[in-house]
Amino acid sequence: LYEDELSLQDASEYIALARDPSNYFNLTHQGALRIFPSLLVFFFKIIGIPIEISFQYLTYLSFTFLNLKIFFLLREFEIKNYIALPSLAILIYSNHSVIYTVFNYYQLLDLFTYIFIIYFIELSKKSNLFLLFTISLLSVLTKEYLLVLAILVHLKNFLKLKDIKVLISMTIILLIFFIHYNLAGYNNISEDNLNILSLTSSYFLLFNTFYSSMINCLIINKNIYLFLPFIILICSRSFIQLLLKNYQIIIFSLIPIGFSVFLYGHVGNNFFRVFNHGFFIFIFYSIIFLTNK
């Protein structure tokens, strides 16, 4: 019962969007930005399925799909089935951050984030402009910082294909995001808060906050141990080359990791949920590297 009440509090904005999408203009900026999962639930509500049931079953289907998607992506990296299955278990079942979303089904957007990350890894490996545009569009309506991944994968595709259509696709995604960014929670925030440049520059004034958060996160709370498995791998030139080859995915992974470490005090109990969106990527490429060895 306690978990149910907690879930409802954490997800009150997502539920409000699912009940009435016009709340998009009245909720907090961050809550309104993450509209896609709630819109999906709203469409099910239109055909008579209760909001809670819609969140539940969309979560269960998304979790099942995530398992299948990761397995078949591992197969695309030429990993045999008997290695792909335990690799999948390491990625999904060894960390409560992913499993948590199955039980707190109102956090459906976290599952979508993992699915989109897997698609971006695939799209950085092989080109499919229509799929890239679709995944990018849904991503920026789910988690705002996925825009970085969408832009970087677009750029990698452009450098590989030299096709102007890729740049057009990227420009449309950017345009949609900036319109979305300025409209989300419009009735609930001041114009100053919508200025991305001023928001970004303000972070440079918080050095002491970043430093104390990092010490608190890594040393006092001992989260530095999370990085220990990579001590051996970073000594491998081949592993570093693999990371550099997939630089656009790795750059993105540093955003949720950095946010959770340098703003540890603000992330609070959501540390592992945020952190794992980036850490998940390092684990994925580590598995690819080790299995090929």
Side-chain angles (χ1 to χ4, degrees):
L1 183 60
Y2 171 77
E3 288 290 345
D4 286 343
E5 291 297 325
L6 191 63
S7 298
L8 288 171
Q9 290 178 30
D10 286 347
S12 58
E13 293 177 319
Y14 308 141
I15 296 169
L17 279 170
R19 285 195 181 122
D20 183 2
S22 66
N23 285 321
Y24 172 76
F25 298 102
N26 303 316
L27 296 174
T28 63
H29 191 226
Q30 187 182 75
L33 278 173
R34 301 170 176 184
I35 191 174
F36 171 65
S38 297
L39 274 182
L40 209 53
V41 172
F42 174 73
F43 289 131
F44 281 97
K45 175 177 170 282
I46 290 176
I47 60 176
I49 302 176
I51 288 175
E52 183 179 7
I53 299 297
S54 297
F55 269 108
Q56 281 183 358
Y57 283 96
L58 280 172
T59 296
Y60 303 152
L61 289 171
S62 298
F63 182 72
T64 304
F65 180 77
L66 177 64
N67 279 264
L68 294 170
K69 188 65 185 173
I70 290 174
F71 177 79
F72 287 111
L73 181 60
L74 290 169
R75 296 289 291 116
E76 288 185 26
F77 281 88
E78 300 180 353
I79 294 177
K80 297 185 183 299
N81 289 351
Y82 71 92
I83 299 180
L85 283 172
S87 299
L88 172 65
I90 291 169
L91 282 164
I92 299 295
Y93 298 95
S94 66
N95 192 315
H96 71 274
S97 300
V98 185
I99 302 296
Y100 164 82
T101 57
V102 180
F103 298 97
N104 187 354
Y105 42 79
Y106 289 116
Q107 300 298 330
L108 175 62
L109 79 165
D110 274 9
L111 274 178
F112 280 162
T113 301
Y114 286 114
I115 290 171
F116 294 147
I117 288 171
I118 289 298
Y119 267 109
F120 279 123
I121 291 174
E122 180 183 20
L123 289 164
S124 69
K125 189 173 185 290
K126 60 180 184 180
S127 301
N128 183 331
L129 185 55
F130 176 77
L131 183 60
L132 176 58
F133 177 82
T134 304
I135 294 299
S136 297
L137 178 60
L138 298 180
S139 294
V140 299
L141 298 177
T142 300
K143 277 282 180 78
E144 59 279 4
Y145 56 70
L146 285 172
L147 173 70
V148 176
L149 195 47
I151 297 305
L152 289 172
V153 175
H154 267 91
L155 289 174
K156 183 173 183 181
N157 273 256
F158 175 72
L159 293 174
K160 182 166 58 178
L161 301 175
K162 300 294 190 294
D163 188 348
I164 193 66
K165 292 178 183 177
V166 179
L167 289 182
I168 294 172
S169 171
M170 184 179 72
T171 303
I172 294 172
I173 293 297
L174 274 170
L175 183 63
I176 291 172
F177 175 79
F178 283 116
I179 293 172
H180 174 50
Y181 189 90
N182 282 277
L183 290 179
Y186 185 80
N187 296 331
N188 198 28
I189 53 178
S190 66
E191 186 176 348
D192 292 337
N193 290 333
L194 290 172
N195 190 322
I196 295 177
L197 290 177
S198 63
L199 187 65
T200 304
S201 62
S202 68
Y203 290 144
F204 291 102
L205 304 176
L206 299 174
F207 176 79
N208 290 334
T209 301
F210 294 157
Y211 178 75
S212 60
S213 290
M214 179 184 69
I215 296 300
N216 190 27
C217 174
L218 298 180
I219 308 301
I220 297 175
N221 286 276
K222 301 181 177 63
N223 287 315
I224 194 170
Y225 292 129
L226 291 167
F227 297 96
L228 290 184
F230 296 98
I231 287 179
I232 295 176
L233 290 179
I234 62 174
C235 296
S236 168
R237 184 180 299 177
S238 300
F239 182 66
I240 299 299
Q241 288 174 344
L242 175 64
L243 295 184
L244 291 175
K245 184 179 178 182
N246 297 280
Y247 66 90
Q248 71 288 341
I249 309 293
I250 300 304
I251 289 173
F252 164 78
S253 71
L254 299 177
I255 295 174
I257 290 176
F259 184 78
S260 55
V261 171
F262 293 109
L263 290 173
Y264 182 72
H266 298 278
V267 173
N269 292 331
N270 289 327
F271 168 78
F272 281 102
R273 283 178 51 208
V274 178
F275 179 84
N276 200 57
H277 284 149
F279 198 55
F280 174 86
I281 292 170
F282 276 99
I283 298 171
F284 180 87
Y285 283 115
S286 298
I287 287 173
I288 299 300
F289 174 74
L290 290 171
T291 51
N292 286 333
K293 294 294 181 181

PDB file of all heavy atoms in Angstrom, residues 140-155:
ATOM      1  N   VAL A 140      12.637  12.654 -27.732  1.00  0.00           N
ATOM      2  CA  VAL A 140      12.644  14.017 -27.185  1.00  0.00           C
ATOM      3  C   VAL A 140      11.327  14.361 -26.508  1.00  0.00           C
ATOM      4  O   VAL A 140      11.245  15.339 -25.763  1.00  0.00           O
ATOM      5  CB  VAL A 140      12.978  15.068 -28.276  1.00  0.00           C
ATOM      6  CG1 VAL A 140      14.368  14.811 -28.858  1.00  0.00           C
ATOM      7  CG2 VAL A 140      11.925  15.094 -29.375  1.00  0.00           C
ATOM      8  N   LEU A 141      10.278  13.551 -26.742  1.00  0.00           N
ATOM      9  CA  LEU A 141       9.002  13.735 -26.054  1.00  0.00           C
ATOM     10  C   LEU A 141       8.900  12.847 -24.812  1.00  0.00           C
ATOM     11  O   LEU A 141       7.874  12.832 -24.140  1.00  0.00           O
ATOM     12  CB  LEU A 141       7.836  13.430 -27.001  1.00  0.00           C
ATOM     13  CG  LEU A 141       7.723  14.318 -28.248  1.00  0.00           C
ATOM     14  CD1 LEU A 141       6.579  13.848 -29.130  1.00  0.00           C
ATOM     15  CD2 LEU A 141       7.536  15.785 -27.864  1.00  0.00           C
ATOM     16  N   THR A 142       9.995  12.094 -24.548  1.00  0.00           N
ATOM     17  CA  THR A 142      10.005  11.187 -23.400  1.00  0.00           C
ATOM     18  C   THR A 142      10.992  11.638 -22.332  1.00  0.00           C
ATOM     19  O   THR A 142      10.632  11.801 -21.172  1.00  0.00           O
ATOM     20  CB  THR A 142      10.347   9.753 -23.847  1.00  0.00           C
ATOM     21  OG1 THR A 142       9.375   9.310 -24.792  1.00  0.00           O
ATOM     22  CG2 THR A 142      10.365   8.788 -22.667  1.00  0.00           C
ATOM     23  N   LYS A 143      12.253  11.817 -22.706  1.00  0.00           N
ATOM     24  CA  LYS A 143      13.276  12.337 -21.793  1.00  0.00           C
ATOM     25  C   LYS A 143      14.050  13.402 -22.547  1.00  0.00           C
ATOM     26  O   LYS A 143      14.642  13.124 -23.599  1.00  0.00           O
ATOM     27  CB  LYS A 143      14.240  11.226 -21.348  1.00  0.00           C
ATOM     28  CG  LYS A 143      13.760  10.376 -20.184  1.00  0.00           C
ATOM     29  CD  LYS A 143      13.925  11.086 -18.858  1.00  0.00           C
ATOM     30  CE  LYS A 143      13.450  10.222 -17.697  1.00  0.00           C
ATOM     31  NZ  LYS A 143      14.407   9.189 -17.316  1.00  0.00           N
ATOM     32  N   GLU A 144      14.067  14.615 -22.003  1.00  0.00           N
ATOM     33  CA  GLU A 144      14.618  15.760 -22.732  1.00  0.00           C
ATOM     34  C   GLU A 144      16.081  15.582 -23.104  1.00  0.00           C
ATOM     35  O   GLU A 144      16.518  16.000 -24.176  1.00  0.00           O
ATOM     36  CB  GLU A 144      14.409  17.049 -21.932  1.00  0.00           C
ATOM     37  CG  GLU A 144      15.027  17.073 -20.548  1.00  0.00           C
ATOM     38  CD  GLU A 144      14.183  16.357 -19.501  1.00  0.00           C
ATOM     39  OE1 GLU A 144      13.141  15.765 -19.857  1.00  0.00           O
ATOM     40  OE2 GLU A 144      14.588  16.389 -18.325  1.00  0.00           O
ATOM     41  N   TYR A 145      16.871  14.922 -22.239  1.00  0.00           N
ATOM     42  CA  TYR A 145      18.302  14.813 -22.562  1.00  0.00           C
ATOM     43  C   TYR A 145      18.601  13.770 -23.633  1.00  0.00           C
ATOM     44  O   TYR A 145      19.729  13.667 -24.102  1.00  0.00           O
ATOM     45  CB  TYR A 145      19.150  14.571 -21.307  1.00  0.00           C
ATOM     46  CG  TYR A 145      18.793  13.368 -20.451  1.00  0.00           C
ATOM     47  CD1 TYR A 145      19.017  12.070 -20.891  1.00  0.00           C
ATOM     48  CD2 TYR A 145      18.270  13.544 -19.173  1.00  0.00           C
ATOM     49  CE1 TYR A 145      18.726  10.982 -20.106  1.00  0.00           C
ATOM     50  CE2 TYR A 145      17.972  12.456 -18.369  1.00  0.00           C
ATOM     51  CZ  TYR A 145      18.206  11.171 -18.837  1.00  0.00           C
ATOM     52  OH  TYR A 145      17.909  10.088 -18.056  1.00  0.00           O
ATOM     53  N   LEU A 146      17.601  13.017 -24.069  1.00  0.00           N
ATOM     54  CA  LEU A 146      17.791  12.108 -25.207  1.00  0.00           C
ATOM     55  C   LEU A 146      18.001  12.883 -26.508  1.00  0.00           C
ATOM     56  O   LEU A 146      18.427  12.313 -27.512  1.00  0.00           O
ATOM     57  CB  LEU A 146      16.597  11.164 -25.346  1.00  0.00           C
ATOM     58  CG  LEU A 146      16.526  10.017 -24.325  1.00  0.00           C
ATOM     59  CD1 LEU A 146      15.209   9.279 -24.444  1.00  0.00           C
ATOM     60  CD2 LEU A 146      17.693   9.064 -24.487  1.00  0.00           C
ATOM     61  N   LEU A 147      17.710  14.191 -26.480  1.00  0.00           N
ATOM     62  CA  LEU A 147      17.990  15.031 -27.652  1.00  0.00           C
ATOM     63  C   LEU A 147      19.462  14.947 -28.030  1.00  0.00           C
ATOM     64  O   LEU A 147      19.801  14.916 -29.215  1.00  0.00           O
ATOM     65  CB  LEU A 147      17.615  16.491 -27.353  1.00  0.00           C
ATOM     66  CG  LEU A 147      18.000  17.512 -28.430  1.00  0.00           C
ATOM     67  CD1 LEU A 147      17.133  17.321 -29.678  1.00  0.00           C
ATOM     68  CD2 LEU A 147      17.864  18.939 -27.912  1.00  0.00           C
ATOM     69  N   VAL A 148      20.338  14.903 -27.038  1.00  0.00           N
ATOM     70  CA  VAL A 148      21.789  14.820 -27.302  1.00  0.00           C
ATOM     71  C   VAL A 148      22.108  13.568 -28.106  1.00  0.00           C
ATOM     72  O   VAL A 148      22.843  13.613 -29.095  1.00  0.00           O
ATOM     73  CB  VAL A 148      22.575  14.818 -25.974  1.00  0.00           C
ATOM     74  CG1 VAL A 148      24.073  14.631 -26.226  1.00  0.00           C
ATOM     75  CG2 VAL A 148      22.319  16.098 -25.196  1.00  0.00           C
ATOM     76  N   LEU A 149      21.525  12.458 -27.705  1.00  0.00           N
ATOM     77  CA  LEU A 149      21.757  11.200 -28.406  1.00  0.00           C
ATOM     78  C   LEU A 149      21.191  11.242 -29.818  1.00  0.00           C
ATOM     79  O   LEU A 149      21.826  10.768 -30.773  1.00  0.00           O
ATOM     80  CB  LEU A 149      21.120  10.060 -27.609  1.00  0.00           C
ATOM     81  CG  LEU A 149      21.519   8.621 -27.950  1.00  0.00           C
ATOM     82  CD1 LEU A 149      23.017   8.458 -28.064  1.00  0.00           C
ATOM     83  CD2 LEU A 149      20.951   7.666 -26.923  1.00  0.00           C
ATOM     84  N   ALA A 150      20.010  11.819 -29.968  1.00  0.00           N
ATOM     85  CA  ALA A 150      19.389  11.931 -31.293  1.00  0.00           C
ATOM     86  C   ALA A 150      20.269  12.741 -32.246  1.00  0.00           C
ATOM     87  O   ALA A 150      20.485  12.341 -33.399  1.00  0.00           O
ATOM     88  CB  ALA A 150      18.010  12.574 -31.166  1.00  0.00           C
ATOM     89  N   ILE A 151      20.795  13.872 -31.765  1.00  0.00           N
ATOM     90  CA  ILE A 151      21.627  14.736 -32.612  1.00  0.00           C
ATOM     91  C   ILE A 151      22.940  14.045 -32.965  1.00  0.00           C
ATOM     92  O   ILE A 151      23.377  14.056 -34.132  1.00  0.00           O
ATOM     93  CB  ILE A 151      21.910  16.075 -31.893  1.00  0.00           C
ATOM     94  CG1 ILE A 151      20.606  16.840 -31.664  1.00  0.00           C
ATOM     95  CG2 ILE A 151      22.895  16.921 -32.705  1.00  0.00           C
ATOM     96  CD1 ILE A 151      19.778  17.085 -32.893  1.00  0.00           C
ATOM     97  N   LEU A 152      23.580  13.414 -31.984  1.00  0.00           N
ATOM     98  CA  LEU A 152      24.874  12.771 -32.227  1.00  0.00           C
ATOM     99  C   LEU A 152      24.761  11.604 -33.205  1.00  0.00           C
ATOM    100  O   LEU A 152      25.622  11.417 -34.073  1.00  0.00           O
ATOM    101  CB  LEU A 152      25.482  12.301 -30.905  1.00  0.00           C
ATOM    102  CG  LEU A 152      25.982  13.410 -29.970  1.00  0.00           C
ATOM    103  CD1 LEU A 152      26.375  12.845 -28.612  1.00  0.00           C
ATOM    104  CD2 LEU A 152      27.156  14.159 -30.595  1.00  0.00           C
ATOM    105  N   VAL A 153      23.692  10.822 -33.083  1.00  0.00           N
ATOM    106  CA  VAL A 153      23.510   9.692 -34.013  1.00  0.00           C
ATOM    107  C   VAL A 153      23.177  10.204 -35.412  1.00  0.00           C
ATOM    108  O   VAL A 153      23.621   9.637 -36.417  1.00  0.00           O
ATOM    109  CB  VAL A 153      22.431   8.720 -33.490  1.00  0.00           C
ATOM    110  CG1 VAL A 153      22.150   7.617 -34.513  1.00  0.00           C
ATOM    111  CG2 VAL A 153      22.873   8.097 -32.166  1.00  0.00           C
ATOM    112  N   HIS A 154      22.405  11.282 -35.491  1.00  0.00           N
ATOM    113  CA  HIS A 154      22.152  11.913 -36.797  1.00  0.00           C
ATOM    114  C   HIS A 154      23.467  12.354 -37.443  1.00  0.00           C
ATOM    115  O   HIS A 154      23.705  12.113 -38.641  1.00  0.00           O
ATOM    116  CB  HIS A 154      21.237  13.131 -36.629  1.00  0.00           C
ATOM    117  CG  HIS A 154      19.783  12.832 -36.815  1.00  0.00           C
ATOM    118  ND1 HIS A 154      18.956  12.471 -35.781  1.00  0.00           N
ATOM    119  CD2 HIS A 154      18.994  12.855 -37.930  1.00  0.00           C
ATOM    120  CE1 HIS A 154      17.728  12.275 -36.236  1.00  0.00           C
ATOM    121  NE2 HIS A 154      17.721  12.508 -37.537  1.00  0.00           N
ATOM    122  N   LEU A 155      24.318  12.999 -36.661  1.00  0.00           N
ATOM    123  CA  LEU A 155      25.603  13.482 -37.198  1.00  0.00           C
ATOM    124  C   LEU A 155      26.480  12.326 -37.664  1.00  0.00           C
ATOM    125  O   LEU A 155      27.142  12.421 -38.692  1.00  0.00           O
ATOM    126  CB  LEU A 155      26.331  14.312 -36.139  1.00  0.00           C
ATOM    127  CG  LEU A 155      25.723  15.692 -35.838  1.00  0.00           C
ATOM    128  CD1 LEU A 155      26.444  16.351 -34.670  1.00  0.00           C
ATOM    129  CD2 LEU A 155      25.782  16.589 -37.075  1.00  0.00           C
TER     130      LEU A 155
END
